[in-house]
Amino acid sequence: MMTTTPLTETAVAEHRSPFRRVVDVVDERMGISALRYPVPEHANTLGWSLGGLTAVSLAVVILTGIILVQFYIPDPTQANQSVRQITTGVFGGAFVRGIHYWAAQTMYVLAGLHMLRVFLTASYKKPREGNWLIGVGMFVLTFLAIFTGTVLKWDQEAFEALGHNIEAGKLMGGLGSFFSPTFAAHTPILVRLYAAHVVLIPGAILLALFIHILLIKRHRISPHPLLPDIGTGQAPVDEPTESFTRHLRRISAFGLTLVGVLGLLALIRPPGIGSPPVSGIEITRPMWQFWPMFTLENWFGLSGILWGGGALFGLLAIVPFIDRNPARHPGRRKVALVIGSVALVTYVTLTLLMLVLPAKTHLGM
Amino acid sequence: MHTTRYRTLLRQSVAALVIGWFVFLPATPAFAHGEGESKESRVLALDALAYLANRPAHYVDSAMEKLNDAIAAKDTTGVNMDKLTEAMHEMSAGQMMQARTALQDAIQPLSGQTFSGQMFSNHMANGQMISGHSMGEEPGTTLMLDPLKGSTNWGDSSWLLAGASALAVLAGLLLARRWRPPESLLEIRSHLTGLEA
């Protein structure tokens, strides 16, 4: 009769594949096995991978951005022409710019959808309130990145967006002084926004993302509201789990699809560029992300932009602090869901109104 | 004891300064595009040029108005007024392309020299010459170009990129399916509720 004897540690080490050995060597020094923490099975779905896909979009934006800065000239007299040169005179430039543009759009949409999923599944509740706030902060930063990116192309739309920003800054008194052109009168404001777009904002997003990911690891993935609630803010102990690396693997698969879609969009709907800007006219419509604020501006003047933006991001920030109901099941969160739906419908309506209502020009025309 | 009082005083002074900065520094009146129309003929001529470059059929009246203002403006520095008048004649005759060319010629001197051959005033900043028309929030535009639409004329490389992109979509979908979780949410739920029961 054959008997099996347990393999000694040395024997196991000798049976490892060369790849496994390399991984173990790296792990011993860098601690990458910390990524193998358990993730509940319900999280390996598309809905629970939206945050990861937002991070994929960010990676694409950064990679394409690194290429674009090699050719972009942040000088008001040449910026518009340099974007045209990238589009028409640099090999692959139009494709890279197209991917950068669409990845930024996707990042904003995915971040919004991710926040919507977190809201619907009550994942912002104790002990994850702080991480929700960091998420809202990243959403604001993404919004700012899109704004500054819009300005960098330095066409009429860019200049009008900048004009609104500067005037809104004036309304903020001392708080808005940094956004004023007089803060550094001899420096073109384009240069300052360029620095914000390529260094300050991405740096802040990466820092916030790092903390966001660490907090996810610390608090673990939140429980699914439709599964039995054990009341600890964690997934049921008996729910099957997979390691976070498996979760990353599935996000990579979704990410590959996303990159393909971005490539197709860059080819089918490449972004254009408007005429070089002039001051004193108002003829363009802002990017759709700004439409709710601009509808409010048409009704209430420039202060509508400030109040609208403040209300949007302020309401998002206070969600975990006004919703203290510990229940996660949608059936027991009717008030929160109704208020959330009203806010969402208002946001969408304000966005769509921009298409229907006649755009108004403002003082100074 | 004294140290505590000193710290409290310091804290209160800093708080008062910060609050004062935000509250008492008055907000200035804001307009979407600066305080009123420019008095400079060059700026007004550029506005007219921009109207013509962006959907001229929609903005003929606006362009005409700006051109009139440019001709009537007191500050005509750097503008060839003859060309401006020529642009007005062309526009009145419905010759928009000619009007645009004349307008561009009228402000062209700014790109290097003034019409009389004198160098345009520049400002010194940090030892470098910076054009007065590209500082702060100045647009810095001297040459008006048409809007450029994204090109959808596909060459060989575009087809190659499209193929690679489509392949990435397919591969991603296949891998996502292959690596999907073994159980659906309903199965996990019935599994868990079964355990509870």
Side-chain angles (χ1 to χ4, degrees), chain B residues 39-63:
Chain B
K39 304 279 188 294
E40 287 180 56
S41 179
R42 191 193 68 86
V43 174
L44 293 162
L46 262 171
D47 287 352
L49 200 49
Y51 275 128
L52 292 181
N54 293 279
R55 297 197 297 165
H58 283 71
Y59 298 120
V60 172
D61 291 344
S62 307

Side-chain angles (χ1 to χ4, degrees), chain B residues 48-49 51-53 55-64 67 86-104 146:
Chain B
L49 200 49
Y51 275 128
L52 292 181
R55 297 197 297 165
H58 283 71
Y59 298 120
V60 172
D61 291 344
S62 307
M64 190 74 96
L67 189 48
E86 184 188 327
M88 175 57 88
H89 290 315
E90 298 288 7
M91 211 183 287
S92 304
Q95 302 294 324
M96 293 305 159
M97 279 312 293
Q98 284 86 336
R100 201 175 145 183
T101 309
L103 264 171
Q104 185 65 64
D146 284 327

